Amino acid sequence: GESVGLHLPTLSVQEGDNSIINCAYSNSASDYFIWYKQESGKGPQFIIDIRSNMDKRQGQRVTVLLNKTVKHLSLQIAATQPGDSAVYFCAETNAAAGNKLTFGGGTRVLVKP
Amino acid sequence: DGGITQSPKYLFRKEGQNVTLSCEQNLNHDAMYWYRQDPGQGLRLIYYSQIVNDFQKGDIAEGYSVSREKKESFPLTVTSAQKNPTAFYLCASSRGQDTQYFGPGTRLTVL
């Protein structure tokens, strides 16, 4: 079936290094992708999004890359800080799904001092 | 958390009881959603509403009910028919097919 999934469940990163979180999706009709950050006991927080007519989008210290050929999405965090420790989720939707998002299982990022 | 509030933050329920979780938004968003999150897992859609007085079942609607009488409010009732209701419940809202913004969540525990 259609799914959005993540390659790595846990990512340990040294403070100051760059982090890369990967996400694979299977629905070729997916046209809108979102990355969320969730800290323990809190609701997911929007980080950045990208539409299928783009292959790269940058925010503050974050970059999302979209490779539609291989159905792969990644989130890059530059100069990872302790406050970046959280679980990161990718989500996707498409026109046929209306407003419904499909979430991946999440990747935990642990920042080591 | 934006302009989305959920209450209470923690909720305890005895077996056989119905409980209602509150979700309010002041973002003027048309669409609202309820998700369930179990420990160490992703989010699963329970119900969603794209417009007032209309809602649709998500992937795990059994044992839950909702209403959408006002644009700002989308309460979720966890009924006694829900066999394993202990979880973290998240409400979200969006303007059409744009980004969904989440509330702070309600942690429900069945005693």
Side-chain angles (χ1 to χ4, degrees), chain A residues 31-32 34 36 38 41-44 46 49 51 89 93-95 98-101 103-105, chain B residues 31 33 35 37 41-43 45 48 50 59 88 90 96-104 107:
Chain A
D31 58 10
Y32 181 52
I34 308 171
Y36 289 95
Q38 186 177 27
K42 297 183 178 180
F46 170 83
D49 60 358
R51 297 197 180 273
F89 293 96
T93 189
N94 58 81
N99 299 343
K100 292 176 61 178
L101 286 176
F103 283 84
Chain B
Y33 315 79
Y35 293 89
Q37 187 176 34
Q41 298 188 27
L43 281 69
L45 183 64
Y48 65 106
Q50 299 186 7
D59 301 319
F88 190 44
L90 289 158
Q97 201 175 341
D98 286 343
T99 304
Q100 292 184 23
Y101 294 93
F102 286 83
R107 188 167 300 281

Short mmCIF file of all heavy atoms in Angstrom, two decimals, chain A residues 31-32 34 36 38 41-44 46 49 51 89 93-95 98-101 103-105, chain B residues 31 33 35 37 41-43 45 48 50 59 88 90 96-104 107:
data_model
loop_
_atom_site.label_atom_id
_atom_site.label_comp_id
_atom_site.label_asym_id
_atom_site.label_seq_id
_atom_site.Cartn_x
_atom_site.Cartn_y
_atom_site.Cartn_z
N ASP A 31 2.28 15.24 -3.77
CA ASP A 31 2.70 16.52 -4.33
C ASP A 31 2.99 17.59 -3.27
O ASP A 31 3.33 18.73 -3.60
CB ASP A 31 1.65 17.05 -5.32
CG ASP A 31 0.28 17.22 -4.68
OD1 ASP A 31 0.17 17.12 -3.44
OD2 ASP A 31 -0.70 17.43 -5.43
N TYR A 32 2.86 17.23 -2.01
CA TYR A 32 3.13 18.20 -0.94
C TYR A 32 3.72 17.45 0.23
O TYR A 32 3.14 16.46 0.70
CB TYR A 32 1.85 18.94 -0.55
CG TYR A 32 2.02 19.99 0.51
CD1 TYR A 32 2.99 20.98 0.40
CD2 TYR A 32 1.20 20.00 1.64
CE1 TYR A 32 3.14 21.94 1.37
CE2 TYR A 32 1.34 20.96 2.62
CZ TYR A 32 2.31 21.94 2.48
OH TYR A 32 2.46 22.90 3.44
N ILE A 34 5.86 17.72 4.12
CA ILE A 34 6.10 18.56 5.30
C ILE A 34 7.02 17.82 6.25
O ILE A 34 6.92 16.60 6.42
CB ILE A 34 4.78 18.88 6.04
CG1 ILE A 34 3.72 19.44 5.08
CG2 ILE A 34 5.03 19.86 7.18
CD1 ILE A 34 2.35 19.57 5.73
N TYR A 36 8.04 17.83 10.30
CA TYR A 36 7.65 18.29 11.64
C TYR A 36 8.70 17.87 12.65
O TYR A 36 9.33 16.82 12.50
CB TYR A 36 6.31 17.68 12.06
CG TYR A 36 5.09 18.21 11.34
CD1 TYR A 36 4.58 17.55 10.24
CD2 TYR A 36 4.44 19.35 11.79
CE1 TYR A 36 3.45 18.01 9.59
CE2 TYR A 36 3.31 19.83 11.15
CZ TYR A 36 2.81 19.15 10.05
OH TYR A 36 1.69 19.62 9.42
N GLN A 38 9.00 17.09 16.79
CA GLN A 38 8.20 16.87 17.99
C GLN A 38 9.10 16.64 19.18
O GLN A 38 9.84 15.65 19.23
CB GLN A 38 7.24 15.69 17.81
CG GLN A 38 6.29 15.52 18.98
CD GLN A 38 5.28 14.40 18.79
OE1 GLN A 38 5.55 13.43 18.08
NE2 GLN A 38 4.12 14.51 19.42
N GLY A 41 6.46 15.03 24.78
CA GLY A 41 5.26 15.51 25.46
C GLY A 41 4.58 16.70 24.81
O GLY A 41 3.65 17.27 25.39
N LYS A 42 5.04 17.07 23.62
CA LYS A 42 4.47 18.24 22.94
C LYS A 42 3.89 17.85 21.59
O LYS A 42 4.15 16.77 21.07
CB LYS A 42 5.53 19.32 22.76
CG LYS A 42 6.08 19.87 24.06
CD LYS A 42 7.06 20.99 23.80
CE LYS A 42 7.59 21.58 25.10
NZ LYS A 42 8.56 22.68 24.85
N GLY A 43 3.13 18.76 21.01
CA GLY A 43 2.60 18.53 19.68
C GLY A 43 3.66 18.78 18.62
O GLY A 43 4.64 19.51 18.85
N PRO A 44 3.53 18.17 17.44
CA PRO A 44 4.48 18.41 16.35
C PRO A 44 4.51 19.88 15.95
O PRO A 44 3.47 20.55 15.90
CB PRO A 44 3.94 17.53 15.21
CG PRO A 44 3.14 16.47 15.89
CD PRO A 44 2.53 17.15 17.07
N PHE A 46 5.70 22.55 12.97
CA PHE A 46 6.06 22.69 11.56
C PHE A 46 7.49 23.21 11.42
O PHE A 46 7.89 24.16 12.09
CB PHE A 46 5.08 23.65 10.88
CG PHE A 46 5.49 24.06 9.49
CD1 PHE A 46 5.20 23.25 8.42
CD2 PHE A 46 6.15 25.26 9.28
CE1 PHE A 46 5.57 23.62 7.15
CE2 PHE A 46 6.51 25.64 8.00
CZ PHE A 46 6.23 24.83 6.94
N ASP A 49 8.26 22.96 4.49
CA ASP A 49 7.49 22.16 3.54
C ASP A 49 8.05 22.35 2.13
O ASP A 49 8.86 23.25 1.88
CB ASP A 49 6.00 22.52 3.59
CG ASP A 49 5.72 23.99 3.25
OD1 ASP A 49 6.68 24.76 3.02
OD2 ASP A 49 4.54 24.37 3.24
N ARG A 51 6.77 21.60 -2.17
CA ARG A 51 5.81 21.07 -3.14
C ARG A 51 6.56 20.33 -4.24
O ARG A 51 7.77 20.54 -4.44
CB ARG A 51 4.94 22.19 -3.71
CG ARG A 51 4.09 22.83 -2.64
CD ARG A 51 2.93 23.64 -3.17
NE ARG A 51 2.17 24.23 -2.08
CZ ARG A 51 1.16 23.62 -1.45
NH1 ARG A 51 0.81 22.39 -1.82
NH2 ARG A 51 0.52 24.22 -0.47
N PHE A 89 9.34 13.99 11.94
CA PHE A 89 8.42 13.26 11.09
C PHE A 89 8.33 13.91 9.72
O PHE A 89 8.26 15.13 9.61
CB PHE A 89 7.00 13.27 11.67
CG PHE A 89 6.84 12.52 12.96
CD1 PHE A 89 6.89 13.19 14.17
CD2 PHE A 89 6.62 11.16 12.96
CE1 PHE A 89 6.74 12.50 15.37
CE2 PHE A 89 6.46 10.46 14.14
CZ PHE A 89 6.52 11.13 15.35
N THR A 93 1.03 14.44 1.27
CA THR A 93 -0.34 14.39 0.82
C THR A 93 -0.37 14.61 -0.68
O THR A 93 0.65 14.90 -1.30
CB THR A 93 -1.21 15.44 1.56
OG1 THR A 93 -2.59 15.20 1.25
CG2 THR A 93 -0.84 16.86 1.15
N ASN A 94 -1.53 14.44 -1.24
CA ASN A 94 -1.69 14.66 -2.67
C ASN A 94 -3.12 15.11 -2.93
O ASN A 94 -3.97 15.04 -2.05
CB ASN A 94 -1.37 13.38 -3.44
CG ASN A 94 -2.24 12.22 -3.01
OD1 ASN A 94 -3.37 12.09 -3.45
ND2 ASN A 94 -1.71 11.37 -2.15
N ALA A 95 -3.36 15.56 -4.12
CA ALA A 95 -4.65 16.15 -4.44
C ALA A 95 -5.79 15.17 -4.20
O ALA A 95 -6.85 15.52 -3.69
CB ALA A 95 -4.65 16.64 -5.88
N GLY A 98 -7.07 14.90 -0.62
CA GLY A 98 -7.65 16.08 0.00
C GLY A 98 -6.73 16.64 1.05
O GLY A 98 -5.57 16.91 0.80
N ASN A 99 -7.22 16.82 2.26
CA ASN A 99 -6.39 17.38 3.32
C ASN A 99 -5.68 16.33 4.15
O ASN A 99 -4.99 16.67 5.11
CB ASN A 99 -7.27 18.21 4.26
CG ASN A 99 -7.93 19.37 3.54
OD1 ASN A 99 -7.50 19.75 2.46
ND2 ASN A 99 -8.95 19.92 4.14
N LYS A 100 -5.83 15.07 3.82
CA LYS A 100 -5.29 14.03 4.67
C LYS A 100 -3.79 13.87 4.48
O LYS A 100 -3.30 13.71 3.37
CB LYS A 100 -5.97 12.70 4.35
CG LYS A 100 -7.44 12.65 4.75
CD LYS A 100 -8.10 11.36 4.32
CE LYS A 100 -7.45 10.16 4.95
NZ LYS A 100 -8.12 8.89 4.56
N LEU A 101 -3.07 13.92 5.59
CA LEU A 101 -1.63 13.70 5.58
C LEU A 101 -1.33 12.26 5.93
O LEU A 101 -1.99 11.68 6.78
CB LEU A 101 -0.94 14.61 6.59
CG LEU A 101 -0.80 16.10 6.28
CD1 LEU A 101 -0.17 16.81 7.47
CD2 LEU A 101 0.04 16.31 5.04
N PHE A 103 1.74 10.19 7.60
CA PHE A 103 2.95 10.43 8.36
C PHE A 103 3.88 9.23 8.31
O PHE A 103 3.44 8.08 8.34
CB PHE A 103 2.62 10.73 9.82
CG PHE A 103 2.10 12.11 10.05
CD1 PHE A 103 0.76 12.40 9.86
CD2 PHE A 103 2.95 13.12 10.45
CE1 PHE A 103 0.27 13.67 10.07
CE2 PHE A 103 2.47 14.40 10.66
CZ PHE A 103 1.13 14.68 10.46
N GLY A 104 5.18 9.52 8.30
CA GLY A 104 6.16 8.49 8.50
C GLY A 104 6.26 8.14 9.98
O GLY A 104 5.64 8.79 10.84
N GLY A 105 7.05 7.12 10.31
CA GLY A 105 7.13 6.65 11.68
C GLY A 105 7.98 7.50 12.59
O GLY A 105 7.90 7.36 13.81
N ALA B 31 -10.40 23.50 8.12
CA ALA B 31 -10.21 22.07 8.34
C ALA B 31 -9.61 21.80 9.73
O ALA B 31 -8.74 22.53 10.19
CB ALA B 31 -9.30 21.48 7.27
N TYR B 33 -8.52 18.32 12.52
CA TYR B 33 -8.17 16.90 12.50
C TYR B 33 -7.90 16.41 13.92
O TYR B 33 -7.46 17.17 14.77
CB TYR B 33 -6.87 16.67 11.70
CG TYR B 33 -6.81 17.41 10.39
CD1 TYR B 33 -6.48 18.76 10.35
CD2 TYR B 33 -7.06 16.75 9.20
CE1 TYR B 33 -6.42 19.44 9.15
CE2 TYR B 33 -6.98 17.42 7.99
CZ TYR B 33 -6.68 18.77 7.98
OH TYR B 33 -6.62 19.44 6.78
N TYR B 35 -5.69 13.20 15.72
CA TYR B 35 -4.75 12.10 15.56
C TYR B 35 -4.52 11.42 16.89
O TYR B 35 -4.62 12.03 17.95
CB TYR B 35 -3.39 12.61 15.07
CG TYR B 35 -3.38 13.18 13.68
CD1 TYR B 35 -3.64 14.54 13.47
CD2 TYR B 35 -3.09 12.39 12.58
CE1 TYR B 35 -3.62 15.08 12.19
CE2 TYR B 35 -3.07 12.91 11.30
CZ TYR B 35 -3.34 14.25 11.11
OH TYR B 35 -3.32 14.78 9.84
N GLN B 37 -1.47 9.17 18.88
CA GLN B 37 -0.06 8.79 18.84
C GLN B 37 0.23 7.86 20.01
O GLN B 37 -0.01 8.21 21.16
CB GLN B 37 0.84 10.03 18.91
CG GLN B 37 2.31 9.71 18.72
CD GLN B 37 3.16 10.96 18.70
OE1 GLN B 37 2.89 11.93 19.38
NE2 GLN B 37 4.22 10.95 17.88
N GLN B 41 5.72 5.93 18.28
CA GLN B 41 5.14 5.72 16.96
C GLN B 41 4.71 7.03 16.32
O GLN B 41 4.73 8.09 16.94
CB GLN B 41 3.95 4.77 17.07
CG GLN B 41 4.31 3.39 17.59
CD GLN B 41 3.17 2.43 17.50
OE1 GLN B 41 2.28 2.56 16.66
NE2 GLN B 41 3.16 1.43 18.36
N GLY B 42 4.31 6.93 15.06
CA GLY B 42 3.84 8.10 14.33
C GLY B 42 2.39 8.42 14.65
O GLY B 42 1.79 7.88 15.58
N LEU B 43 1.82 9.29 13.86
CA LEU B 43 0.46 9.77 14.07
C LEU B 43 -0.52 9.02 13.17
O LEU B 43 -0.24 8.81 11.99
CB LEU B 43 0.37 11.27 13.75
CG LEU B 43 0.90 12.24 14.80
CD1 LEU B 43 2.41 12.17 14.93
CD2 LEU B 43 0.47 13.65 14.44
N LEU B 45 -4.60 9.02 11.89
CA LEU B 45 -5.75 9.91 11.77
C LEU B 45 -7.02 9.23 12.27
O LEU B 45 -7.37 8.14 11.83
CB LEU B 45 -5.92 10.32 10.30
CG LEU B 45 -7.03 11.29 9.98
CD1 LEU B 45 -6.78 12.65 10.66
CD2 LEU B 45 -7.15 11.47 8.47
N TYR B 48 -11.51 13.73 10.67
CA TYR B 48 -11.19 15.05 10.19
C TYR B 48 -12.45 15.73 9.67
O TYR B 48 -13.42 15.06 9.31
CB TYR B 48 -10.09 15.02 9.12
CG TYR B 48 -10.44 14.33 7.83
CD1 TYR B 48 -10.70 15.04 6.68
CD2 TYR B 48 -10.47 12.94 7.76
CE1 TYR B 48 -10.99 14.40 5.49
CE2 TYR B 48 -10.77 12.29 6.58
CZ TYR B 48 -11.02 13.02 5.45
OH TYR B 48 -11.32 12.37 4.27
N GLN B 50 -13.55 19.05 7.15
CA GLN B 50 -13.09 20.08 6.21
C GLN B 50 -13.94 21.33 6.28
O GLN B 50 -13.54 22.39 5.77
CB GLN B 50 -13.10 19.52 4.79
CG GLN B 50 -12.16 18.33 4.62
CD GLN B 50 -12.05 17.87 3.19
OE1 GLN B 50 -12.57 18.50 2.28
NE2 GLN B 50 -11.36 16.76 2.97
N ASP B 59 -8.38 6.79 9.62
CA ASP B 59 -7.95 5.40 9.53
C ASP B 59 -8.33 4.55 10.75
O ASP B 59 -8.39 3.33 10.67
CB ASP B 59 -6.43 5.35 9.35
CG ASP B 59 -6.00 6.09 8.08
OD1 ASP B 59 -6.70 5.94 7.06
OD2 ASP B 59 -4.99 6.80 8.13
N PHE B 88 -1.65 9.45 23.36
CA PHE B 88 -1.48 10.90 23.26
C PHE B 88 -2.32 11.35 22.08
O PHE B 88 -2.16 10.85 20.98
CB PHE B 88 0.01 11.21 23.05
CG PHE B 88 0.38 12.65 23.17
CD1 PHE B 88 -0.11 13.43 24.19
CD2 PHE B 88 1.27 13.22 22.27
CE1 PHE B 88 0.26 14.76 24.33
CE2 PHE B 88 1.66 14.55 22.39
CZ PHE B 88 1.15 15.32 23.42
N LEU B 90 -3.72 14.28 19.54
CA LEU B 90 -3.30 15.55 18.95
C LEU B 90 -4.36 16.08 18.01
O LEU B 90 -4.90 15.34 17.17
CB LEU B 90 -1.99 15.36 18.19
CG LEU B 90 -0.77 15.14 19.08
CD1 LEU B 90 0.33 14.44 18.31
CD2 LEU B 90 -0.27 16.46 19.63
N GLY B 96 -7.49 24.75 4.19
CA GLY B 96 -7.54 23.93 3.00
C GLY B 96 -6.46 22.87 3.01
O GLY B 96 -6.26 22.18 4.01
N GLN B 97 -5.72 22.76 1.92
CA GLN B 97 -4.70 21.73 1.80
C GLN B 97 -3.33 22.25 2.22
O GLN B 97 -2.30 21.65 1.92
CB GLN B 97 -4.64 21.21 0.35
CG GLN B 97 -4.01 19.84 0.24
CD GLN B 97 -4.06 19.28 -1.16
OE1 GLN B 97 -4.85 19.73 -1.99
NE2 GLN B 97 -3.22 18.32 -1.46
N ASP B 98 -3.29 23.35 2.93
CA ASP B 98 -2.04 23.88 3.42
C ASP B 98 -1.57 23.12 4.65
O ASP B 98 -2.19 22.17 5.10
CB ASP B 98 -2.19 25.37 3.74
CG ASP B 98 -2.24 26.21 2.47
OD1 ASP B 98 -1.85 25.69 1.41
OD2 ASP B 98 -2.69 27.36 2.55
N THR B 99 -0.47 23.58 5.19
CA THR B 99 0.16 22.94 6.34
C THR B 99 -0.81 22.78 7.49
O THR B 99 -1.56 23.69 7.82
CB THR B 99 1.35 23.79 6.80
OG1 THR B 99 2.22 23.98 5.69
CG2 THR B 99 2.09 23.12 7.94
N GLN B 100 -0.74 21.63 8.15
CA GLN B 100 -1.50 21.41 9.37
C GLN B 100 -0.67 21.87 10.56
O GLN B 100 0.51 21.54 10.66
CB GLN B 100 -1.84 19.93 9.51
CG GLN B 100 -2.85 19.45 8.47
CD GLN B 100 -3.25 18.01 8.67
OE1 GLN B 100 -3.15 17.47 9.77
NE2 GLN B 100 -3.72 17.38 7.61
N TYR B 101 -1.32 22.62 11.44
CA TYR B 101 -0.67 23.09 12.66
C TYR B 101 -1.31 22.38 13.84
O TYR B 101 -2.53 22.26 13.92
CB TYR B 101 -0.81 24.60 12.79
CG TYR B 101 -0.05 25.34 11.72
CD1 TYR B 101 -0.67 25.73 10.54
CD2 TYR B 101 1.31 25.61 11.88
CE1 TYR B 101 0.03 26.38 9.55
CE2 TYR B 101 2.02 26.27 10.88
CZ TYR B 101 1.38 26.64 9.72
OH TYR B 101 2.07 27.29 8.73
N PHE B 102 -0.45 21.94 14.77
CA PHE B 102 -0.89 21.08 15.85
C PHE B 102 -1.04 21.81 17.17
O PHE B 102 -0.34 22.79 17.45
CB PHE B 102 0.11 19.93 16.05
CG PHE B 102 0.01 18.88 14.98
CD1 PHE B 102 0.67 19.05 13.77
CD2 PHE B 102 -0.75 17.75 15.17
CE1 PHE B 102 0.57 18.10 12.77
CE2 PHE B 102 -0.84 16.78 14.18
CZ PHE B 102 -0.19 16.96 12.98
N GLY B 103 -1.95 21.30 17.99
CA GLY B 103 -2.07 21.74 19.36
C GLY B 103 -1.07 21.02 20.25
O GLY B 103 -0.29 20.19 19.77
N PRO B 104 -1.08 21.31 21.56
CA PRO B 104 -0.10 20.74 22.48
C PRO B 104 -0.39 19.31 22.89
O PRO B 104 0.46 18.65 23.49
CB PRO B 104 -0.17 21.67 23.68
CG PRO B 104 -1.56 22.20 23.64
CD PRO B 104 -1.92 22.33 22.19
N ARG B 107 -2.92 13.89 26.96
CA ARG B 107 -2.52 12.52 27.26
C ARG B 107 -3.63 11.85 28.05
O ARG B 107 -3.95 12.26 29.16
CB ARG B 107 -1.21 12.50 28.06
CG ARG B 107 -0.65 11.08 28.22
CD ARG B 107 0.78 11.09 28.72
NE ARG B 107 1.70 11.79 27.82
CZ ARG B 107 2.20 11.26 26.71
NH1 ARG B 107 1.88 10.01 26.37
NH2 ARG B 107 3.04 11.95 25.98
#
